[in-house]
Amino acid sequence: MEHALTCNNLKCRRELTDRALVTTCSHIFCLDCSQRTGITGQDHERRMTCPACNCQINLDDAVIANLNPSEEYKTSILGGLSPNVIMECAGRALGFWAYQTSQDICYQQHLYRTLTDKYSSLSFRLEKTVNDANSEIETLQNKITGPIPWCLDVLRLS
């Protein structure tokens, strides 16, 4: 099973399937996030920043990539290129994937730590609530089964 890329916007993290915006700083965004953050804007004069790393990017530093190209496209894009250029492109693509994978591992570790902390906090609160409830139950049981108050003894004697 092939690993799927996800949008590098931490508020999105949508799995990318067809098309995505790829930056020269090795980040990738779904088209919705790239439009929302203005990376795909048409203003050629404006310098933009990458939403993931705040790196300055020009319009040429971000392109919309087809993540599932046809066989014809794959053939035509590599046709005529020397083996050295093809290997250089392949090396950069592998570097991109390695970076994305390492970033995803860091993100998953962060989620794990965050969820572990939340679990510990909730577990502590649950234990305290259970102890408080058991203490209250014990107090109520003692009131029910304990010695009869003196006023009830007087009523019984009369």
Side-chain angles (χ1 to χ4, degrees), residues 1-59:
M1 185 172 148
E2 191 172 320
H3 175 74
L5 292 170
T6 56
C7 179
N8 288 163
N9 181 348
L10 294 178
K11 292 181 181 178
C12 176
R13 301 293 297 167
R14 181 183 309 161
E15 187 173 306
L16 304 172
T17 55
D18 294 328
R19 295 170 28 128
L21 183 114
V22 180
T23 66
T24 54
C25 54
S26 294
H27 291 107
I28 190 166
F29 302 95
C30 69
L31 295 182
D32 289 341
C33 287
S34 64
Q35 289 172 351
R36 201 172 22 261
T37 58
I39 299 175
T40 56
Q42 301 300 315
D43 187 358
H44 296 283
E45 302 298 318
R46 195 177 123 218
R47 290 181 58 89
M48 299 163 280
T49 58
C50 173
C53 67
N54 293 323
C55 175
Q56 290 290 318
I57 54 176
N58 295 316
L59 192 61

Side-chain angles (χ1 to χ4, degrees), residues 53-139:
C53 67
N54 293 323
C55 175
Q56 290 290 318
I57 54 176
N58 295 316
L59 192 61
D60 295 339
D61 294 338
V63 295
I64 295 177
N66 183 353
L67 302 179
N68 293 311
S70 67
E71 292 302 315
E72 294 81 17
Y73 179 79
K74 292 177 200 175
T75 302
S76 68
I77 198 71
L78 296 176
L81 298 178
S82 72
N84 288 340
V85 172
I86 293 171
M87 292 305 291
E88 183 182 344
C89 291
R92 289 182 185 187
L94 290 171
F96 178 86
W97 273 88
Y99 176 75
Q100 289 296 315
T101 302
S102 69
Q103 290 299 302
D104 195 46
I105 289 169
C106 289
Y107 178 73
Q108 295 299 325
Q109 288 172 338
H110 170 74
L111 282 181
Y112 173 76
R113 284 190 303 273
T114 301
L115 291 174
T116 301
D117 291 346
K118 285 183 181 179
Y119 171 76
S120 296
S121 173
L122 288 172
S123 181
F124 176 78
R125 287 175 48 196
L126 174 65
E127 187 68 30
K128 182 180 180 333
T129 302
V130 168
N131 287 339
D132 291 348
N134 285 337
S135 178
E136 183 68 23
I137 289 170
E138 186 178 331
T139 301

